[in-house]
Amino acid sequence: MSLRIKAVVDRFVKELKEALDADIQDRIMKEREMQSYIEEREREVAEREAAWKAELSRREAEIARQEVRLKMERENLEKEKSVLMGTASNQDNQDGALEITVSGEKYRCLRFSKAKK
């Protein structure tokens, strides 16, 4: 009888060890799958972040280019404005002539006429 009990206990211990080994293997597989999933997600996030940073950098460069262009346009406008403001001046001459200075040359206009359409 004791041999029979020992055989039952031995079989029970063997089955328990097999079940534990199977459970350990299952947990190891799940851990590997989870780690693989985490690594893939981290790669995806890193790729999106790199793409976002590249787009941000591109936009910042475009803004800088536009600011330079705007500054140049503003400077040109100021130059044109100063030229235009300084070139035509009504001198309140006795004859009512308008004096215009273009590139340092003075011109007098005595009569005005409507532009033809």
Side-chain angles (χ1 to χ4, degrees), residues 52-63:
W52 180 82
K53 284 181 178 179
E55 178 66 15
L56 178 62
S57 177
R58 185 191 66 75
R59 287 183 180 183
E60 287 173 341
E62 179 62 26
I63 288 170

Side-chain angles (χ1 to χ4, degrees), residues 42-87:
E42 286 175 342
R43 255 192 313 277
E44 289 173 3
V45 168
E47 287 172 2
R48 282 200 317 267
E49 182 181 19
W52 180 82
K53 284 181 178 179
E55 178 66 15
L56 178 62
S57 177
R58 185 191 66 75
R59 287 183 180 183
E60 287 173 341
E62 179 62 26
I63 288 170
R65 280 192 297 273
Q66 289 179 3
E67 286 175 342
V68 167
R69 195 172 112 228
L70 181 60
K71 183 180 177 186
M72 288 173 44
E73 287 179 18
R74 184 172 285 131
E75 288 172 357
N76 288 338
L77 175 64
E78 289 300 320
K79 287 177 187 175
E80 287 177 31
K81 213 163 92 174
S82 69
V83 167
L84 291 174
M85 296 302 280
T87 58

